Amino acid sequence: MTEYTNNTTNLTRDQAIEFIMDHYGEAVKRIIYSYVKNHHTTDDLFQEVLILIYRKWEKYDGRSQLVTWVIRIAINRCKDYLRSPLHRIKLVKDQWLDQKDYQDAEKTVIQQEQWDELAEAILNLPIKNREVMILTFQQNMSLKEIAEVTGAPVSTIKTRMQRAKRLLNQHVSKEEWTLE
């Protein structure tokens, strides 16, 4: 597919969905997973997000970056899902972060346990703190971008980040991980 760099508002609905899946699909899936913590539910919600985008495509006016608009829709859909009774029925915990390390087996196992512990701690943070951590470290978003996506002021995002780091430092093995 042709790369659309500046003006994605001229895309048809079908082109927009293809572009979004090609360029932002995996990132959106990771964000959804960070909320719902279940692979099957992630796939279902990702499809729902794509359907929402397809239906609302004419409403995208290009005032914000396409990725910001898409992530906003995904986050809002996740929040709706988490408030729904369906979510309360389907609570299942999975492991997160499939880290590949090609070092010796013992070191790999130890590292995986540490990543699992950190991932579990992140996934157990309150949603507002978890959201900031995921968008910062997994999506490499700046505080300003996170504020735009979440609709919260930058100062609030900073506070959430500080709280998230403090909570993580309390729950993760001190000798191996310290978030600053």
Side-chain angles (χ1 to χ4, degrees):
M1 178 169 185
T2 308
E3 179 77 28
Y4 299 95
T5 53
N6 293 331
N7 197 355
T8 52
T9 56
N10 291 333
L11 298 175
T12 66
R13 288 175 190 224
D14 292 336
Q15 289 172 328
I17 293 300
E18 185 177 341
F19 181 83
I20 289 165
M21 286 177 23
D22 289 346
H23 291 84
Y24 311 125
E26 288 305 312
V28 171
K29 278 187 172 184
R30 284 191 300 267
I31 288 169
I32 293 170
Y33 184 80
S34 74
Y35 277 85
V36 299
K37 305 175 194 175
N38 180 287
H39 292 290
H40 297 293
T41 305
T42 297
D43 291 339
D44 292 343
L45 288 176
F46 181 67
Q47 288 180 4
E48 289 179 29
V49 167
L50 291 176
I51 290 168
L52 283 170
I53 291 168
Y54 187 83
R55 289 181 181 158
K56 295 181 177 190
W57 181 246
E58 275 69 36
K59 293 181 181 181
Y60 175 64
D61 58 10
R63 286 189 297 167
S64 64
Q65 292 181 14
L66 180 60
V67 66
T68 303
W69 186 72
V70 169
I71 289 173
R72 182 77 156 147
I73 289 172
I75 288 173
N76 286 338
R77 181 60 196 106
C78 289
K79 288 178 180 180
D80 290 345
Y81 171 78
L82 291 172
R83 284 189 291 261
S84 74
L86 178 62
H87 168 256
R88 292 182 187 107
I89 295 168
K90 292 172 75 177
L91 282 177
V92 177
K93 290 205 175 188
D94 281 337
Q95 292 294 324
W96 184 49
L97 287 178
D98 300 323
Q99 292 294 325
K100 293 182 180 177
D101 188 14
Y102 300 103
Q103 298 172 359
D104 63 291
E106 182 179 350
K107 187 173 181 179
T108 301
V109 168
I110 291 169
Q111 256 184 345
Q112 187 63 48
E113 288 173 1
Q114 292 168 345
W115 277 112
D116 289 347
E117 183 180 359
L118 180 60
E120 185 68 27
I122 289 171
L123 291 174
N124 286 321
L125 289 173
I127 191 69
K128 290 180 180 181
N129 303 113
R130 181 182 342 140
E131 174 180 71
V132 172
M133 294 295 288
I134 298 297
L135 293 174
T136 299
F137 295 109
Q138 194 176 45
Q139 299 304 315
N140 295 321
M141 288 185 157
S142 68
L143 294 176
K144 183 179 175 184
E145 290 171 324
I146 295 170
E148 188 177 331
V149 166
T150 61
V154 173
S155 59
T156 301
I157 300 302
K158 287 180 184 177
T159 301
R160 289 177 185 172
M161 178 62 74
Q162 290 170 346
R163 286 183 185 147
K165 288 178 180 179
R166 187 175 64 246
L167 289 168
L168 286 175
N169 282 330
Q170 291 172 359
H171 290 83
V172 178
S173 299
K174 298 275 191 280
E175 61 273 358
E176 295 298 329
W177 298 98
T178 301
L179 296 171
E180 298 178 11

